[in-house]
Amino acid sequence: MSEPKPPTPTPGDTYKGWLFKWTNYIKGYQRRWFVLSNGLLSYYRTQAEMGHTCRGTINLATANIAVEDSCNFVISNGGAQTYHLKANSEVERQRWITALELAKAKAVRMQAESDDSGDDCPAVPPSSGQGGSCRNAEVQSTLRTLNSKVEDLTTCNDLIVKHGSALQRSLSELEGIRVGGDMGEKIRQVTERATLFRITSNAMINACRDFLSLAQNHSKRWQKALQVERDQRIRLEETLEQLAKQHNHLERAFRGATVLPPSFSNTVLGNKGGVSGKGDASDEDDDNEFFDAMEDPAEFITVPADPKYHRRSGSNVSGISSEIGMDDQSFDELSLASNPESPQPLELEPVRQRRTRIPDKPNYYLNLWSVMKNCIGKELSKIPMPVNFNEPLSMLQRLSEDLEYYELLDKAAKCQSSLEQMCYVAAFTVSSYSTTVHRTGKPFNPLLGETFELDRLRECGYRSLCEQVSHHPPAAAHHAVSEKGWILRQEITLASKFRGKYLSVMPLGSIQCIFDKSNNHYSWKKVTTTVHNIIVGKLWIDQSGEIDVVNHRTGDRCHLKFAPYSYFSRDVPRKVTGVVTDKDGKAHYVLSGTWDEKMEFSRVMQSSKGENGTEGKQRTVYQTLKAKEIWIKNPLPEGAENMYYFSSLALTLNETEEGVAPTDSRRRPDQRLMEEGRWDEANAEKQRLEEKQRNTRREREREAIKAASSPEEGAHQDNYQAMWFEKIDDPVSGETLHVYKGGYWEAKDQASWDMCPDIF
């Protein structure tokens, strides 16, 4: 049997394959054929020896399995037997370790069941767990017996084929000889081989008879056991249905209750352990309550507000405001969803038809470990990576993708309340991560001086410009301005580390959003992005950390928490929660959702201190109005899985356009070649561009040395100045960053690009 290909063998499978076994210091490791079956690991010199000569066997029920390094592992049963084994690769070693651990667990379980169940099992299967173990042990014993009979049949079949062939050869030889002295000898050989063939055939018939008898005897017992299992499943389904109905009834009664005293709320929430494992909306009601899971101690939990708030919110907003002391006098429950003073923007016809497809991603194989094994602990931007790990977009274009949900900022610009505006800004912050969930490709590192413009002024009312303003460390500046009255600017420096099993990308720098009408000035930072399963398994991306969105004019703040993914959490994956507070720390809104699907918000009517959490932290209980959807992710275009999982906006970012600067990312040749599927040419072009950039930097350093007063002073200077951005100290946020100094769009109108450097 050939070696199984699945990386994780299922329990009960016979696992076979070649391994290297340590013999002695003279011969070292020798190649042996190993067979794992029924909790026993046996080995042979060759596959042909399996029928007659076993070189050694170890029982996994009492064995210890230890991993030494990437390919070596040891199996020992306490000193009497020890196998030092080596696989061809780390992946192959992991397959064997998985199969051995599963077989060991099964052997230990079967041994325990055999010791506990006794010799006799009840005729009618009981409902207790011990009876189930007894039935399981009986079935396993029967399966082992049947498997033994099948092996006997296989052996008999092999012998019949062997002796039948020998008999056929003897008969052929008998026909061809002459009558003489050797006639008697040939007849004797034929008689012996015919006798062997008859004996083997009888053994085959007897084995078949035994197998058939066993199968018939146990068929009725198995059918009866199967019917018992079906009946138990039906009873469990009925019980679960009743529990679900009772749970739904309790939730309805809980929602319909009057004002909850703090002690009652705390008791109920404490007993339920978080109420909801999903933190999502109810399946049957549209009240959209949110509760944090208890695995990670939640900072707050929410419960529905008293119905009086719902009844009065539409008719007497000022009454509510005065009753509970709200600062926002003009806001009611529906204002975020439909603000009469903030009409929805008109749909504008695009001035040009944008492309909806790019060439499909080629299926080129490249061993990632061969590239990354020497890069552990290094800065990722300094590692020369082939384009096989990239996507045909630069980091500047990825930054521009943050504007995919620009409508959120358009709506924020029309808000009358700064707290309402904060909800939209926070939702915009979360939305920028929605495009990363399937995007495991690495964007191209921009060359120093590279730019990217995204002019959607006539289509969407905004346009933006990005420029790579530094190379070591790599930093990109971004500026976007909208006709709807907002400015977005950011400077991001990526710090990334390869940790062997995962890759961490830590964005440094800040993002700022300024609204013209209210002069509100917001700033926030990005969370850490982690790419898992770099070496083995399917790549997947997670976002984790905390973000504080701050309004520097009013002191309002929104604290967002991106929960890291956990296999053991009952909570919804990729969850994001947040609380909007004013300058005094009073909560006004609660946000909840996921960074890859949607965000919802609900208004806080009343808050109280709850009981202490698992780590001694006191959680706040918020009574909120019905949750409303504030952002939902746009669906991916058809066939996105073959186009690097690009969104509709991302598909247009590298589309060729006339009139862009000669330093624009669309003109980058290696990126264009990769998009067209010409990866070998793209790799060669990428190396040429990187070498050209290194030569240019060395030339700038030589000029800096000449201009400096001493060689030591100029040796570490790089006199590069950004073309369209300048570094300033922001007086509002107190941060130092590159901001747009103007001139790009005027140069584009005049087609005057003489000052642009030659980087491609």
Side-chain angles (χ1 to χ4, degrees), residues 450-481:
E450 184 175 336
T451 61
F452 177 73
E453 68 162 73
L454 184 63
D455 191 352
R456 295 290 191 271
L457 196 60
R458 298 183 60 187
E459 303 168 57
C460 307
Y462 73 86
R463 58 186 181 184
S464 77
L465 176 67
C466 292
E467 182 181 357
Q468 187 76 359
V469 296
S470 174
H471 187 60
H472 288 299
H478 180 209
H479 178 87
V481 60

PDB file of all heavy atoms in Angstrom, residues 450-481:
ATOM      1  N   GLU A 450       7.925  56.876  -5.339  1.00  0.00           N
ATOM      2  CA  GLU A 450       6.769  56.340  -6.077  1.00  0.00           C
ATOM      3  C   GLU A 450       5.489  56.989  -5.567  1.00  0.00           C
ATOM      4  O   GLU A 450       5.344  57.275  -4.371  1.00  0.00           O
ATOM      5  CB  GLU A 450       6.714  54.823  -5.899  1.00  0.00           C
ATOM      6  CG  GLU A 450       5.606  54.146  -6.698  1.00  0.00           C
ATOM      7  CD  GLU A 450       5.660  52.632  -6.576  1.00  0.00           C
ATOM      8  OE1 GLU A 450       6.764  52.088  -6.285  1.00  0.00           O
ATOM      9  OE2 GLU A 450       4.616  51.990  -6.769  1.00  0.00           O
ATOM     10  N   THR A 451       4.560  57.221  -6.455  1.00  0.00           N
ATOM     11  CA  THR A 451       3.290  57.860  -6.102  1.00  0.00           C
ATOM     12  C   THR A 451       2.131  57.024  -6.616  1.00  0.00           C
ATOM     13  O   THR A 451       2.305  56.121  -7.440  1.00  0.00           O
ATOM     14  CB  THR A 451       3.194  59.278  -6.697  1.00  0.00           C
ATOM     15  OG1 THR A 451       3.264  59.190  -8.137  1.00  0.00           O
ATOM     16  CG2 THR A 451       4.321  60.171  -6.195  1.00  0.00           C
ATOM     17  N   PHE A 452       0.946  57.351  -6.129  1.00  0.00           N
ATOM     18  CA  PHE A 452      -0.279  56.765  -6.666  1.00  0.00           C
ATOM     19  C   PHE A 452      -1.416  57.745  -6.439  1.00  0.00           C
ATOM     20  O   PHE A 452      -1.664  58.178  -5.314  1.00  0.00           O
ATOM     21  CB  PHE A 452      -0.614  55.432  -6.013  1.00  0.00           C
ATOM     22  CG  PHE A 452      -1.913  54.848  -6.512  1.00  0.00           C
ATOM     23  CD1 PHE A 452      -1.989  54.299  -7.782  1.00  0.00           C
ATOM     24  CD2 PHE A 452      -3.056  54.882  -5.726  1.00  0.00           C
ATOM     25  CE1 PHE A 452      -3.187  53.773  -8.252  1.00  0.00           C
ATOM     26  CE2 PHE A 452      -4.251  54.362  -6.189  1.00  0.00           C
ATOM     27  CZ  PHE A 452      -4.312  53.809  -7.460  1.00  0.00           C
ATOM     28  N   GLU A 453      -2.075  58.093  -7.524  1.00  0.00           N
ATOM     29  CA  GLU A 453      -3.239  58.974  -7.438  1.00  0.00           C
ATOM     30  C   GLU A 453      -4.511  58.169  -7.667  1.00  0.00           C
ATOM     31  O   GLU A 453      -4.539  57.206  -8.434  1.00  0.00           O
ATOM     32  CB  GLU A 453      -3.157  60.084  -8.481  1.00  0.00           C
ATOM     33  CG  GLU A 453      -3.293  59.596  -9.916  1.00  0.00           C
ATOM     34  CD  GLU A 453      -3.643  60.716 -10.887  1.00  0.00           C
ATOM     35  OE1 GLU A 453      -2.762  61.538 -11.189  1.00  0.00           O
ATOM     36  OE2 GLU A 453      -4.802  60.751 -11.342  1.00  0.00           O
ATOM     37  N   LEU A 454      -5.553  58.539  -6.956  1.00  0.00           N
ATOM     38  CA  LEU A 454      -6.876  57.937  -7.140  1.00  0.00           C
ATOM     39  C   LEU A 454      -7.868  59.079  -7.297  1.00  0.00           C
ATOM     40  O   LEU A 454      -8.349  59.652  -6.321  1.00  0.00           O
ATOM     41  CB  LEU A 454      -7.236  57.052  -5.940  1.00  0.00           C
ATOM     42  CG  LEU A 454      -8.557  56.287  -6.050  1.00  0.00           C
ATOM     43  CD1 LEU A 454      -8.519  55.303  -7.214  1.00  0.00           C
ATOM     44  CD2 LEU A 454      -8.866  55.550  -4.759  1.00  0.00           C
ATOM     45  N   ASP A 455      -8.154  59.410  -8.551  1.00  0.00           N
ATOM     46  CA  ASP A 455      -9.019  60.552  -8.852  1.00  0.00           C
ATOM     47  C   ASP A 455     -10.432  60.053  -9.112  1.00  0.00           C
ATOM     48  O   ASP A 455     -10.740  59.517 -10.175  1.00  0.00           O
ATOM     49  CB  ASP A 455      -8.478  61.306 -10.071  1.00  0.00           C
ATOM     50  CG  ASP A 455      -9.185  62.645 -10.256  1.00  0.00           C
ATOM     51  OD1 ASP A 455     -10.171  62.895  -9.540  1.00  0.00           O
ATOM     52  OD2 ASP A 455      -8.749  63.432 -11.111  1.00  0.00           O
ATOM     53  N   ARG A 456     -11.293  60.189  -8.107  1.00  0.00           N
ATOM     54  CA  ARG A 456     -12.708  59.828  -8.237  1.00  0.00           C
ATOM     55  C   ARG A 456     -13.586  61.056  -7.955  1.00  0.00           C
ATOM     56  O   ARG A 456     -14.672  60.943  -7.405  1.00  0.00           O
ATOM     57  CB  ARG A 456     -13.049  58.718  -7.251  1.00  0.00           C
ATOM     58  CG  ARG A 456     -12.341  57.392  -7.504  1.00  0.00           C
ATOM     59  CD  ARG A 456     -12.874  56.722  -8.770  1.00  0.00           C
ATOM     60  NE  ARG A 456     -12.405  55.353  -8.886  1.00  0.00           N
ATOM     61  CZ  ARG A 456     -11.286  54.962  -9.472  1.00  0.00           C
ATOM     62  NH1 ARG A 456     -10.495  55.898 -10.009  1.00  0.00           N
ATOM     63  NH2 ARG A 456     -10.931  53.706  -9.553  1.00  0.00           N
ATOM     64  N   LEU A 457     -13.079  62.221  -8.373  1.00  0.00           N
ATOM     65  CA  LEU A 457     -13.769  63.462  -8.034  1.00  0.00           C
ATOM     66  C   LEU A 457     -15.150  63.519  -8.672  1.00  0.00           C
ATOM     67  O   LEU A 457     -16.134  63.868  -8.019  1.00  0.00           O
ATOM     68  CB  LEU A 457     -12.914  64.661  -8.465  1.00  0.00           C
ATOM     69  CG  LEU A 457     -13.296  66.005  -7.867  1.00  0.00           C
ATOM     70  CD1 LEU A 457     -13.190  65.960  -6.353  1.00  0.00           C
ATOM     71  CD2 LEU A 457     -12.421  67.116  -8.428  1.00  0.00           C
ATOM     72  N   ARG A 458     -15.253  63.161  -9.957  1.00  0.00           N
ATOM     73  CA  ARG A 458     -16.536  63.250 -10.653  1.00  0.00           C
ATOM     74  C   ARG A 458     -17.427  62.050 -10.351  1.00  0.00           C
ATOM     75  O   ARG A 458     -18.651  62.143 -10.490  1.00  0.00           O
ATOM     76  CB  ARG A 458     -16.303  63.358 -12.150  1.00  0.00           C
ATOM     77  CG  ARG A 458     -15.529  64.610 -12.552  1.00  0.00           C
ATOM     78  CD  ARG A 458     -15.389  64.709 -14.052  1.00  0.00           C
ATOM     79  NE  ARG A 458     -16.678  64.772 -14.729  1.00  0.00           N
ATOM     80  CZ  ARG A 458     -16.845  64.736 -16.050  1.00  0.00           C
ATOM     81  NH1 ARG A 458     -15.772  64.641 -16.833  1.00  0.00           N
ATOM     82  NH2 ARG A 458     -18.037  64.799 -16.584  1.00  0.00           N
ATOM     83  N   GLU A 459     -16.847  60.949  -9.945  1.00  0.00           N
ATOM     84  CA  GLU A 459     -17.644  59.760  -9.685  1.00  0.00           C
ATOM     85  C   GLU A 459     -18.111  59.686  -8.229  1.00  0.00           C
ATOM     86  O   GLU A 459     -19.271  59.371  -7.969  1.00  0.00           O
ATOM     87  CB  GLU A 459     -16.823  58.502  -9.999  1.00  0.00           C
ATOM     88  CG  GLU A 459     -16.307  58.469 -11.424  1.00  0.00           C
ATOM     89  CD  GLU A 459     -15.274  57.379 -11.606  1.00  0.00           C
ATOM     90  OE1 GLU A 459     -15.583  56.211 -11.339  1.00  0.00           O
ATOM     91  OE2 GLU A 459     -14.143  57.714 -11.989  1.00  0.00           O
ATOM     92  N   CYS A 460     -17.193  59.963  -7.308  1.00  0.00           N
ATOM     93  CA  CYS A 460     -17.495  59.795  -5.889  1.00  0.00           C
ATOM     94  C   CYS A 460     -17.272  61.062  -5.078  1.00  0.00           C
ATOM     95  O   CYS A 460     -17.554  61.071  -3.869  1.00  0.00           O
ATOM     96  CB  CYS A 460     -16.636  58.675  -5.299  1.00  0.00           C
ATOM     97  SG  CYS A 460     -16.745  57.109  -6.199  1.00  0.00           S
ATOM     98  N   GLY A 461     -16.747  62.103  -5.682  1.00  0.00           N
ATOM     99  CA  GLY A 461     -16.570  63.364  -4.979  1.00  0.00           C
ATOM    100  C   GLY A 461     -15.274  63.491  -4.217  1.00  0.00           C
ATOM    101  O   GLY A 461     -15.135  64.410  -3.408  1.00  0.00           O
ATOM    102  N   TYR A 462     -14.301  62.596  -4.410  1.00  0.00           N
ATOM    103  CA  TYR A 462     -13.032  62.710  -3.697  1.00  0.00           C
ATOM    104  C   TYR A 462     -11.890  62.360  -4.633  1.00  0.00           C
ATOM    105  O   TYR A 462     -12.084  61.744  -5.692  1.00  0.00           O
ATOM    106  CB  TYR A 462     -13.000  61.789  -2.475  1.00  0.00           C
ATOM    107  CG  TYR A 462     -12.846  60.322  -2.816  1.00  0.00           C
ATOM    108  CD1 TYR A 462     -11.585  59.756  -3.007  1.00  0.00           C
ATOM    109  CD2 TYR A 462     -13.956  59.498  -2.950  1.00  0.00           C
ATOM    110  CE1 TYR A 462     -11.437  58.428  -3.337  1.00  0.00           C
ATOM    111  CE2 TYR A 462     -13.819  58.167  -3.277  1.00  0.00           C
ATOM    112  CZ  TYR A 462     -12.559  57.631  -3.472  1.00  0.00           C
ATOM    113  OH  TYR A 462     -12.418  56.315  -3.802  1.00  0.00           O
ATOM    114  N   ARG A 463     -10.692  62.737  -4.245  1.00  0.00           N
ATOM    115  CA  ARG A 463      -9.486  62.278  -4.911  1.00  0.00           C
ATOM    116  C   ARG A 463      -8.359  62.234  -3.885  1.00  0.00           C
ATOM    117  O   ARG A 463      -8.363  63.005  -2.920  1.00  0.00           O
ATOM    118  CB  ARG A 463      -9.116  63.183  -6.084  1.00  0.00           C
ATOM    119  CG  ARG A 463      -8.878  64.633  -5.774  1.00  0.00           C
ATOM    120  CD  ARG A 463      -8.661  65.392  -7.079  1.00  0.00           C
ATOM    121  NE  ARG A 463      -8.400  66.808  -6.875  1.00  0.00           N
ATOM    122  CZ  ARG A 463      -8.264  67.681  -7.873  1.00  0.00           C
ATOM    123  NH1 ARG A 463      -8.368  67.263  -9.131  1.00  0.00           N
ATOM    124  NH2 ARG A 463      -8.024  68.948  -7.625  1.00  0.00           N
ATOM    125  N   SER A 464      -7.421  61.324  -4.103  1.00  0.00           N
ATOM    126  CA  SER A 464      -6.372  61.111  -3.114  1.00  0.00           C
ATOM    127  C   SER A 464      -5.030  60.949  -3.801  1.00  0.00           C
ATOM    128  O   SER A 464      -4.947  60.645  -4.999  1.00  0.00           O
ATOM    129  CB  SER A 464      -6.677  59.873  -2.260  1.00  0.00           C
ATOM    130  OG  SER A 464      -6.379  58.683  -2.966  1.00  0.00           O
ATOM    131  N   LEU A 465      -3.973  61.146  -3.019  1.00  0.00           N
ATOM    132  CA  LEU A 465      -2.606  61.013  -3.509  1.00  0.00           C
ATOM    133  C   LEU A 465      -1.767  60.345  -2.425  1.00  0.00           C
ATOM    134  O   LEU A 465      -1.848  60.707  -1.252  1.00  0.00           O
ATOM    135  CB  LEU A 465      -2.013  62.385  -3.839  1.00  0.00           C
ATOM    136  CG  LEU A 465      -0.542  62.395  -4.275  1.00  0.00           C
ATOM    137  CD1 LEU A 465      -0.368  61.693  -5.621  1.00  0.00           C
ATOM    138  CD2 LEU A 465       0.002  63.814  -4.334  1.00  0.00           C
ATOM    139  N   CYS A 466      -0.975  59.347  -2.833  1.00  0.00           N
ATOM    140  CA  CYS A 466      -0.027  58.677  -1.940  1.00  0.00           C
ATOM    141  C   CYS A 466       1.386  58.855  -2.485  1.00  0.00           C
ATOM    142  O   CYS A 466       1.583  58.900  -3.702  1.00  0.00           O
ATOM    143  CB  CYS A 466      -0.337  57.185  -1.815  1.00  0.00           C
ATOM    144  SG  CYS A 466      -1.864  56.794  -0.966  1.00  0.00           S
ATOM    145  N   GLU A 467       2.352  58.936  -1.587  1.00  0.00           N
ATOM    146  CA  GLU A 467       3.755  59.006  -1.998  1.00  0.00           C
ATOM    147  C   GLU A 467       4.612  58.263  -0.975  1.00  0.00           C
ATOM    148  O   GLU A 467       4.375  58.359   0.236  1.00  0.00           O
ATOM    149  CB  GLU A 467       4.231  60.455  -2.102  1.00  0.00           C
ATOM    150  CG  GLU A 467       5.684  60.564  -2.574  1.00  0.00           C
ATOM    151  CD  GLU A 467       6.172  62.001  -2.661  1.00  0.00           C
ATOM    152  OE1 GLU A 467       5.360  62.919  -2.400  1.00  0.00           O
ATOM    153  OE2 GLU A 467       7.357  62.219  -2.970  1.00  0.00           O
ATOM    154  N   GLN A 468       5.595  57.507  -1.485  1.00  0.00           N
ATOM    155  CA  GLN A 468       6.573  56.865  -0.611  1.00  0.00           C
ATOM    156  C   GLN A 468       7.614  57.920  -0.227  1.00  0.00           C
ATOM    157  O   GLN A 468       8.440  58.328  -1.039  1.00  0.00           O
ATOM    158  CB  GLN A 468       7.229  55.683  -1.334  1.00  0.00           C
ATOM    159  CG  GLN A 468       8.131  54.839  -0.471  1.00  0.00           C
ATOM    160  CD  GLN A 468       7.364  53.928   0.470  1.00  0.00           C
ATOM    161  OE1 GLN A 468       6.133  53.942   0.493  1.00  0.00           O
ATOM    162  NE2 GLN A 468       8.067  53.128   1.241  1.00  0.00           N
ATOM    163  N   VAL A 469       7.567  58.350   1.028  1.00  0.00           N
ATOM    164  CA  VAL A 469       8.387  59.481   1.466  1.00  0.00           C
ATOM    165  C   VAL A 469       9.674  59.045   2.156  1.00  0.00           C
ATOM    166  O   VAL A 469      10.549  59.867   2.410  1.00  0.00           O
ATOM    167  CB  VAL A 469       7.575  60.397   2.398  1.00  0.00           C
ATOM    168  CG1 VAL A 469       6.402  61.013   1.655  1.00  0.00           C
ATOM    169  CG2 VAL A 469       7.086  59.631   3.633  1.00  0.00           C
ATOM    170  N   SER A 470       9.805  57.766   2.468  1.00  0.00           N
ATOM    171  CA  SER A 470      11.027  57.263   3.103  1.00  0.00           C
ATOM    172  C   SER A 470      11.195  55.800   2.720  1.00  0.00           C
ATOM    173  O   SER A 470      10.215  55.096   2.479  1.00  0.00           O
ATOM    174  CB  SER A 470      10.947  57.415   4.634  1.00  0.00           C
ATOM    175  OG  SER A 470      12.057  56.812   5.263  1.00  0.00           O
ATOM    176  N   HIS A 471      12.459  55.374   2.678  1.00  0.00           N
ATOM    177  CA  HIS A 471      12.730  53.986   2.307  1.00  0.00           C
ATOM    178  C   HIS A 471      13.209  53.155   3.485  1.00  0.00           C
ATOM    179  O   HIS A 471      12.867  51.987   3.604  1.00  0.00           O
ATOM    180  CB  HIS A 471      13.775  53.938   1.184  1.00  0.00           C
ATOM    181  CG  HIS A 471      13.970  52.562   0.638  1.00  0.00           C
ATOM    182  ND1 HIS A 471      12.945  51.838   0.061  1.00  0.00           N
ATOM    183  CD2 HIS A 471      15.070  51.765   0.590  1.00  0.00           C
ATOM    184  CE1 HIS A 471      13.398  50.662  -0.338  1.00  0.00           C
ATOM    185  NE2 HIS A 471      14.681  50.583  -0.017  1.00  0.00           N
ATOM    186  N   HIS A 472      14.040  53.706   4.347  1.00  0.00           N
ATOM    187  CA  HIS A 472      14.495  53.018   5.560  1.00  0.00           C
ATOM    188  C   HIS A 472      14.347  53.970   6.741  1.00  0.00           C
ATOM    189  O   HIS A 472      15.170  54.867   6.920  1.00  0.00           O
ATOM    190  CB  HIS A 472      15.944  52.561   5.423  1.00  0.00           C
ATOM    191  CG  HIS A 472      16.135  51.411   4.505  1.00  0.00           C
ATOM    192  ND1 HIS A 472      15.560  50.169   4.703  1.00  0.00           N
ATOM    193  CD2 HIS A 472      16.834  51.314   3.346  1.00  0.00           C
ATOM    194  CE1 HIS A 472      15.903  49.356   3.723  1.00  0.00           C
ATOM    195  NE2 HIS A 472      16.663  50.035   2.882  1.00  0.00           N
ATOM    196  N   PRO A 473      13.305  53.830   7.548  1.00  0.00           N
ATOM    197  CA  PRO A 473      12.263  52.815   7.428  1.00  0.00           C
ATOM    198  C   PRO A 473      11.264  53.171   6.325  1.00  0.00           C
ATOM    199  O   PRO A 473      11.087  54.361   6.008  1.00  0.00           O
ATOM    200  CB  PRO A 473      11.585  52.860   8.798  1.00  0.00           C
ATOM    201  CG  PRO A 473      11.768  54.277   9.246  1.00  0.00           C
ATOM    202  CD  PRO A 473      13.115  54.691   8.730  1.00  0.00           C
ATOM    203  N   PRO A 474      10.595  52.169   5.726  1.00  0.00           N
ATOM    204  CA  PRO A 474       9.631  52.483   4.664  1.00  0.00           C
ATOM    205  C   PRO A 474       8.415  53.214   5.233  1.00  0.00           C
ATOM    206  O   PRO A 474       7.806  52.761   6.198  1.00  0.00           O
ATOM    207  CB  PRO A 474       9.255  51.099   4.120  1.00  0.00           C
ATOM    208  CG  PRO A 474       9.557  50.149   5.226  1.00  0.00           C
ATOM    209  CD  PRO A 474      10.715  50.723   5.973  1.00  0.00           C
ATOM    210  N   ALA A 475       8.108  54.353   4.644  1.00  0.00           N
ATOM    211  CA  ALA A 475       6.976  55.157   5.116  1.00  0.00           C
ATOM    212  C   ALA A 475       6.247  55.730   3.913  1.00  0.00           C
ATOM    213  O   ALA A 475       6.872  56.159   2.937  1.00  0.00           O
ATOM    214  CB  ALA A 475       7.444  56.277   6.043  1.00  0.00           C
ATOM    215  N   ALA A 476       4.932  55.724   3.982  1.00  0.00           N
ATOM    216  CA  ALA A 476       4.092  56.256   2.912  1.00  0.00           C
ATOM    217  C   ALA A 476       3.155  57.302   3.488  1.00  0.00           C
ATOM    218  O   ALA A 476       2.605  57.128   4.577  1.00  0.00           O
ATOM    219  CB  ALA A 476       3.290  55.136   2.241  1.00  0.00           C
ATOM    220  N   ALA A 477       2.985  58.396   2.758  1.00  0.00           N
ATOM    221  CA  ALA A 477       2.068  59.464   3.154  1.00  0.00           C
ATOM    222  C   ALA A 477       0.869  59.451   2.220  1.00  0.00           C
ATOM    223  O   ALA A 477       1.002  59.195   1.014  1.00  0.00           O
ATOM    224  CB  ALA A 477       2.764  60.819   3.108  1.00  0.00           C
ATOM    225  N   HIS A 478      -0.305  59.735   2.778  1.00  0.00           N
ATOM    226  CA  HIS A 478      -1.553  59.666   2.020  1.00  0.00           C
ATOM    227  C   HIS A 478      -2.390  60.897   2.348  1.00  0.00           C
ATOM    228  O   HIS A 478      -2.491  61.307   3.511  1.00  0.00           O
ATOM    229  CB  HIS A 478      -2.313  58.382   2.392  1.00  0.00           C
ATOM    230  CG  HIS A 478      -3.605  58.212   1.661  1.00  0.00           C
ATOM    231  ND1 HIS A 478      -4.675  57.529   2.191  1.00  0.00           N
ATOM    232  CD2 HIS A 478      -4.001  58.636   0.430  1.00  0.00           C
ATOM    233  CE1 HIS A 478      -5.666  57.531   1.327  1.00  0.00           C
ATOM    234  NE2 HIS A 478      -5.290  58.200   0.252  1.00  0.00           N
ATOM    235  N   HIS A 479      -2.988  61.474   1.301  1.00  0.00           N
ATOM    236  CA  HIS A 479      -3.838  62.648   1.471  1.00  0.00           C
ATOM    237  C   HIS A 479      -5.050  62.492   0.560  1.00  0.00           C
ATOM    238  O   HIS A 479      -4.907  62.244  -0.642  1.00  0.00           O
ATOM    239  CB  HIS A 479      -3.085  63.934   1.115  1.00  0.00           C
ATOM    240  CG  HIS A 479      -3.912  65.171   1.225  1.00  0.00           C
ATOM    241  ND1 HIS A 479      -4.049  65.870   2.398  1.00  0.00           N
ATOM    242  CD2 HIS A 479      -4.658  65.838   0.296  1.00  0.00           C
ATOM    243  CE1 HIS A 479      -4.836  66.915   2.200  1.00  0.00           C
ATOM    244  NE2 HIS A 479      -5.217  66.923   0.935  1.00  0.00           N
ATOM    245  N   ALA A 480      -6.245  62.618   1.149  1.00  0.00           N
ATOM    246  CA  ALA A 480      -7.482  62.537   0.382  1.00  0.00           C
ATOM    247  C   ALA A 480      -8.375  63.699   0.779  1.00  0.00           C
ATOM    248  O   ALA A 480      -8.476  64.040   1.965  1.00  0.00           O
ATOM    249  CB  ALA A 480      -8.200  61.203   0.635  1.00  0.00           C
ATOM    250  N   VAL A 481      -9.018  64.305  -0.201  1.00  0.00           N
ATOM    251  CA  VAL A 481      -9.903  65.436   0.045  1.00  0.00           C
ATOM    252  C   VAL A 481     -11.206  65.195  -0.707  1.00  0.00           C
ATOM    253  O   VAL A 481     -11.211  64.654  -1.815  1.00  0.00           O
ATOM    254  CB  VAL A 481      -9.247  66.762  -0.395  1.00  0.00           C
ATOM    255  CG1 VAL A 481      -8.926  66.752  -1.873  1.00  0.00           C
ATOM    256  CG2 VAL A 481     -10.115  67.955  -0.019  1.00  0.00           C
TER     257      VAL A 481
END
